[in-house]
Amino acid sequence: MVRIPSCDKLNLKRDLWTAEEDAKILAYVSKHGTSNWTSAPKKAGLRRCGKSCRLRWTNYLRPDLKHQNFTSQEEELIIRLHAAIGSRWAIIAQQLPGRTDNDVKNYWNTKLRRKLSEMGIDPVTHKPFSQILADYGNIGGLPRSTKRIGSLSRELKTSAYMKPEHHSNSAQGLVDLLTPSMLLPETGPVMDQSMNANVHQVNNNHPLNLLAQLQAMQRVTEASHCTFNEQIQPHFYTQSYLPSSSSSSSSSTTTVTCRNSSSTFSWQDFLLEDAFLPSEPQELENVGEFSLNQNGCQTENGISKEELNKERCDYQYNRFEATHCLVGNNDIEASSSSAENTFIETLLHQEDKIILFDFLNLLEEPLYQ
DNA sequence: AAAACCCACAACCGCGATCGG
DNA sequence: GCCGATCGCGGTTGTGGGTTT
């Protein structure tokens, strides 16, 4: 079914807004508020659709909006949040008072994206182009990342639409979803408890300052005597919002330093460690959240999921094995064995695995936990 | 001077989610 | 529970002004 654009109905006006039209919108809002935009054109005497009126108000006429250029602090925050959560412009904009999602999106698309590209940083992955090229040869060795990506995506959405009684705003929800249980490998009850307690305390103190809360989580990590890379990095795009950490893939320990969010920053800060590839080969085994057991079925934190979905898992594995002639006991070996494949074949191989294993298991996870 | 190009940003489009009858 | 209306969001396009050739 072809959807008729709402503003095409009745041959409504669609070009730039005039000062006169803006004045009518302002008068309408002052009289009727912003609860019902459908009736706005008629009541305001405008030949626009309600949606167009709403956008004009939210993106331009709202009195709390800033119309000045973005500051370096705002720029920094946008980059860090984009690295952390991607193009969730509405959520990012909520961290920037007076800015709309449209503002942030336009600023990213016209300025920041190019700026990062010129620095040799891929604005999508926040990784150096050189590293992306280097990863080409390792693409078959991707550890399983379903838990992180799937949960993040779903929980982000949940947080964005969280009811008020649970979260006063989506920023709160976003911070809550970045709980240690997701950010960190479950290294033990002591660690988890201390992290949760501290994070909740942080949330109460600074419900709106997402970046501050993320940085506070970093401090908690320090206080817990765990190394930054070991605890967080393999599970999230941590380098994006914690850019001051100095890390070395060849070192077993990592020094973490905190910095004030208002301080100056280096573009190098926005380089992400590889979000998917462990720095050491043995970390492939340590990633652990979703690795394959000998039967090719997913395990979570060492607890087999077979009890929950053995039949389906076996079926999917057998189907996958029959299709792709798996060699060895896990898919990582199988992937590396396909090094002679073309790039496209390797990608298709990975996609099949995602569909056959990760996606089906993702569907089994309860939507709200 | 004028055409071509570039850039920033306003505005629109389409989709999914939510609401209310 | 169904369905149409509405809202909110991310992606995309259109437009006008500035710069370059």
Side-chain angles (χ1 to χ4, degrees):
Chain A
M1 186 178 97
V2 178
R3 186 189 180 95
I4 301 171
S6 58
C7 293
D8 279 351
K9 297 174 185 174
L10 306 174
N11 198 21
L12 297 172
K13 196 167 182 282
R14 293 170 62 185
D15 52 358
L16 293 178
W17 284 72
T18 65
E20 184 184 359
E21 288 177 309
D22 284 346
K24 287 181 177 178
I25 288 291
L26 289 168
Y28 170 82
V29 169
S30 66
K31 188 175 181 181
H32 299 96
T34 59
S35 59
N36 185 4
W37 287 107
T38 308
S39 60
K42 187 175 180 180
K43 291 180 178 175
L46 290 165
R47 287 189 59 247
R48 301 269 185 177
C49 64
K51 186 175 183 175
S52 183
C53 295
R54 176 171 58 85
L55 284 173
R56 182 62 180 174
W57 169 260
T58 56
N59 287 336
Y60 194 80
L61 295 176
R62 261 169 45 201
D64 59 321
L65 293 181
K66 287 183 193 171
H67 294 287
Q68 300 92 339
N69 291 335
F70 280 80
T71 66
S72 59
Q73 285 78 20
E74 289 175 314
E75 187 173 282
E76 176 184 358
L77 189 54
I78 291 169
I79 296 171
R80 293 185 188 204
L81 291 173
H82 183 273
I85 64 175
S87 56
R88 272 73 169 183
W89 305 120
I91 296 173
I92 294 173
Q94 285 171 4
Q95 307 306 312
L96 299 163
R99 305 295 187 185
T100 69
D101 56 345
N102 214 33
D103 289 338
V104 175
K105 181 173 55 181
N106 284 332
Y107 191 66
W108 172 265
N109 287 331
T110 58
K111 294 270 185 62
L112 298 182
R113 193 168 59 178
R114 186 186 310 137
K115 210 167 182 177
L116 287 172
S117 294
E118 288 171 353
M119 294 294 296
I121 302 168
D122 177 23
V124 176
T125 62
H126 292 256
K127 291 160 58 177
F129 289 127
S130 58
Q131 187 180 343
I132 294 173
L133 290 173
D135 290 346
Y136 168 80
N138 297 326
I139 193 165
L142 292 169
R144 312 188 67 78
S145 55
T146 306
K147 172 66 175 180
R148 184 190 64 202
I149 294 175
S151 297
L152 174 60
S153 177
R154 187 174 60 251
E155 293 183 45
L156 269 173
K157 201 156 196 171
T158 302
S159 76
Y161 294 104
M162 196 67 73
K163 291 180 179 178
E165 59 266 31
H166 295 121
H167 298 291
S168 59
N169 55 58
S170 63
Q172 178 72 61
L174 179 58
V175 171
D176 281 357
L177 71 87
L178 295 174
T179 55
S181 64
M182 187 183 77
L183 287 169
L184 307 178
E186 294 183 13
T187 53
V190 174
M191 177 64 196
D192 284 347
Q193 287 166 7
S194 64
M195 288 289 289
N196 277 315
N198 283 283
V199 167
H200 286 304
Q201 182 180 357
V202 167
N203 290 348
N204 291 335
N205 291 340
H206 305 285
L208 284 175
N209 191 339
L210 176 59
L211 189 59
Q213 292 168 17
L214 295 171
Q215 287 174 326
M217 291 176 66
Q218 176 185 4
R219 289 192 289 274
V220 169
T221 303
E222 283 185 86
S224 302
H225 306 290
C226 61
T227 61
F228 178 60
N229 271 1
E230 289 170 352
Q231 297 297 339
I232 298 177
Q233 188 170 340
H235 295 266
F236 200 65
Y237 298 86
T238 50
Q239 291 285 1
S240 59
Y241 54 82
L242 302 169
S244 60
S245 65
S246 60
S247 62
S248 170
S249 61
S250 61
S251 171
S252 61
T253 60
T254 300
T255 301
V256 179
T257 57
C258 297
R259 56 190 290 181
N260 191 316
S261 64
S262 63
S263 62
T264 59
F265 63 96
S266 162
W267 285 96
Q268 294 300 317
D269 291 346
F270 302 108
L271 290 174
L272 285 177
E273 292 287 324
D274 193 315
F276 297 96
L277 292 173
S279 55
E280 297 286 348
Q282 62 265 31
E283 287 185 37
L284 284 172
E285 298 174 5
N286 297 334
V287 169
E289 274 192 339
F290 273 81
S291 59
L292 290 182
N293 63 20
Q294 289 189 341
N295 292 326
C297 298
Q298 285 186 346
T299 63
E300 184 173 6
N301 303 319
I303 301 171
S304 175
K305 276 198 166 184
E306 285 178 329
E307 294 176 3
L308 301 174
N309 64 349
K310 185 175 189 305
E311 287 186 10
R312 177 181 290 182
C313 194
D314 287 345
Y315 168 75
Q316 295 297 344
Y317 173 73
N318 292 335
R319 187 173 156 210
F320 179 74
E321 185 177 38
T323 304
H324 295 277
C325 301
L326 270 177
V327 177
N329 289 332
N330 66 48
D331 65 320
I332 295 172
E333 290 179 16
S335 296
S336 61
S337 72
S338 64
E340 295 176 1
N341 289 353
T342 66
F343 180 65
I344 298 299
E345 286 170 338
T346 306
L347 285 176
L348 292 173
H349 187 80
Q350 287 295 124
E351 186 181 358
D352 278 351
K353 285 186 294 182
I354 291 170
I355 293 171
L356 290 175
F357 296 114
D358 305 64
F359 182 66
L360 284 172
N361 282 283
L362 179 64
L363 289 176
E364 291 176 350
E365 296 177 22
L367 185 58
Y368 301 102
Q369 294 179 348

